[in-house]
Amino acid sequence: MKNGGGRTSRIRRRKLFTSSESRGVNESYKPEFIELKKWLKDRKFEDTNLIPACFPGTGRGLMSKTSLREGQMIISLPESCLLTTDTVLRSYLGVYIAKWQPPPSPVLALCAFLVSERHAGDRSPWKPYLEVLPKAYTCPVCLEPEVVNLLPKPLKAKAREQRTHVQEFISSSRDFLSSLQPLFSEAVESIFSYSALLWAWCTVNTRAVYRKCTPRQCFSAEPDTCVLAPFLDLLNHSPDAQVKAAFNEETRCYEIRTAVSCGKHKEVLICYGPHDNHRLLLEYGFVSIRNPHACVYVSKDILVKYLPSTDKRMNQKISILEDHDFIENLTFGWDGPSWRLLTALKLLCLEAEELTCWKKVLIGEIISDTNEKTSLDIAQKICHYFIKESKAVLQKISHMKDEEVALINQLTLVETLWTEELKILQASAETLTSLQTAFT
């Protein structure tokens, strides 16, 4: 989570919102939350605004006990409650990290600590926090191969990259983890298993908040920005939420303030960032319904598929798009094809005698009615291709849910993604039809 666009930049910076869903079911009476509350109180944190609850649609989250006014502090979590690389360095792992060469990454240090503490069980001072963490995750790296194969092509490629990254992360950590053998009576290979390290990596990747730490020689050059924040990390996501969140260097607390008011007994939500559903599924393992940032990506091969194969200037046109960064992030959204997609199509639809005008196309100028109509027609064809594909995949998932009962939760997650994409494409098709009427 790097600041501005990686793991920790997404991290709950961000915005507060109240859910319009049905009132949640209070879960503060559950043993794990009673223990977490005691643990937090011992570390000088006692929340009076929020309680754990289970909500329809979002699952476990935090509910407001009273009405919250705009600008009100809703969480001020002391530094003593945060799990940071400093926490790890002060622990029994510190001496091993300090002497290891090449230096381990900050993320590896956090992962090693999480696995070690979970292995310690009742002996771990972090047990109350570990008990409320998810036992499993639904990021693509955790999905079964046959489920990953059902993802849209752009996301499938990123999912495979994620799996490769995690496998390399775990493989490269083996020597360092082996050096920890003196700390354990059992073999480190059994403690730091692939599944244990995958769980730890997902915990850091999906739940950390951003806090920039001063680089230290005992760690690799990778930014040290991941911090785990017990209780605070129960807050769920809404793309419409508004909060202000950051670590306050003066109070030494991680603070979240409302930017809008919030009604009593409503779910309090934050925004992890303006992410589309591909990013949310890849990084957090969920899909947001009616996400205004959601879109359907159009790849270069799909673009070319619906253009005349006799166009001798096609390679030249593709090169122009590539040189000017117009071949990526071409999308359909809730309000129709993106400006970038239509612009790319307009350039690709230029007649031979119009090609000298390509610069005008890229700045949004209209070349001719014929060019406008042709690009809209091709956009509609591409849209209908995706609609047909979405319906076919949804039908396949429906059949698999009947046959693969053990995978039903994973299949339902992917089904939700495709259902949202189908809705976007249907909305785009309607928009395109309206635009096309101007040329009939």
Side-chain angles (χ1 to χ4, degrees), residues 92-93 95-96 99-100 175-189 191-192:
Y92 49 88
L93 295 180
V95 63
Y96 291 88
K99 67 183 180 183
W100 188 255
D175 287 345
F176 167 71
L177 296 173
S178 294
S179 75
L180 305 180
Q181 185 61 71
L183 294 171
F184 305 98
S185 57
E186 300 171 45
V188 289
E189 292 78 13
I191 297 170
F192 296 97

Side-chain angles (χ1 to χ4, degrees), residues 16 50 116 129 158 169 172 177 194 206 219 229 245-246 254 264 283 319 348 397:
L16 176 112
L50 308 173
S116 298
Y129 174 53
K158 290 181 179 179
F169 167 77
S172 64
L177 296 173
Y194 181 87
T206 65
F219 290 128
Y254 202 96
K264 183 179 180 180
E283 304 290 3
S319 294
L348 293 170
I397 292 172

Side-chain angles (χ1 to χ4, degrees), residues 51 90 102 125 139 141 174 190 202 221-222 272 289 292 298 312 324 358 382 410 416 419 425 438:
I51 55 172
R90 289 194 301 267
C139 301
V141 69
R174 288 299 174 196
S190 63
C202 288
E222 182 180 317
Y272 301 174
I289 306 299
V298 182
K312 296 179 181 179
H324 293 81
W358 66 265
I382 294 173
Q410 293 187 15
T416 303
T419 300
L425 292 164

Side-chain angles (χ1 to χ4, degrees), residues 409-422:
N409 290 335
Q410 293 187 15
L411 290 169
T412 300
L413 176 64
V414 179
E415 182 180 50
T416 303
L417 175 65
W418 279 103
T419 300
E420 288 299 294
E421 297 213 346
L422 179 58

Side-chain angles (χ1 to χ4, degrees), residues 196-259:
L197 288 167
L198 176 60
W199 169 82
W201 184 89
C202 288
T203 297
V204 174
N205 194 65
T206 65
R207 305 184 74 80
V209 296
Y210 178 85
R211 178 190 170 190
K212 189 174 182 180
C213 298
T214 305
R216 283 160 294 187
Q217 290 185 343
C218 61
F219 290 128
S220 66
E222 182 180 317
D224 185 358
T225 53
C226 294
V227 174
L228 290 168
F231 191 73
L232 183 151
D233 62 7
L234 291 170
L235 288 164
N236 287 321
H237 166 83
S238 168
D240 303 310
Q242 296 183 31
V243 303
K244 295 179 180 179
F247 184 79
N248 188 322
E249 295 292 345
E250 292 183 5
T251 63
R252 308 304 295 176
C253 293
Y254 202 96
E255 299 176 348
I256 295 184
R257 290 181 181 274
T258 68

Side-chain angles (χ1 to χ4, degrees), residues 1-3 5-12 14 105-108 165 169 201 204-206 208-210 222-223 225-226 272 275 279 283-284:
M1 302 178 183
K2 302 173 184 65
N3 193 10
R7 286 196 306 274
T8 43
S9 74
R10 330 182 272 263
I11 316 190
R12 291 105 144 129
R14 335 308 190 190
S105 69
V107 170
L108 176 54
H165 169 75
F169 167 77
W201 184 89
V204 174
N205 194 65
T206 65
V209 296
Y210 178 85
E222 182 180 317
T225 53
C226 294
Y272 301 174
H275 305 321
R279 177 100 179 257
E283 304 290 3
Y284 298 102

